Amino acid sequence: MKESSRTGIVVAGVIGGALLGGLFAWLSSARTEEGDETVRESIGPTEYFQLGIGILTLARQFQSLLQRKI
């Protein structure tokens, strides 16, 4: 793989990750319907744990997809 191609892939990943992170931050700062509490404040530790497991599962699936292509 050419170095310029790899750099382009990394830059695209960084931009995609920044956009996804910004979207998550925007969603977590949204207010709930009941009052002044943010959505982030209404989420418990269990939901954060489930989200982390989901992100790790997605990363593992992505890695296995890339390994099959090689």
Side-chain angles (χ1 to χ4, degrees):
M1 180 186 298
K2 293 182 181 178
E3 188 64 34
S4 63
S5 175
R6 183 176 181 163
T7 302
I9 292 171
V10 170
V11 168
V14 167
I15 291 171
L19 291 173
L20 188 60
L23 176 66
F24 286 161
W26 179 71
L27 289 173
S28 70
S29 67
R31 300 287 176 187
T32 60
E33 296 290 325
E34 296 89 33
D36 222 15
E37 183 181 49
T38 62
V39 173
R40 192 186 80 198
E41 293 166 343
S42 65
I43 297 175
T46 305
E47 287 87 7
Y48 282 114
F49 182 74
Q50 290 173 345
L51 179 62
I53 294 297
I55 291 170
L56 291 174
T57 302
L58 178 63
R60 185 173 48 120
Q61 289 175 344
F62 186 69
Q63 179 187 16
S64 69
L65 175 73
L66 292 177
Q67 286 179 348
R68 283 189 293 192
K69 298 288 181 181
I70 295 176

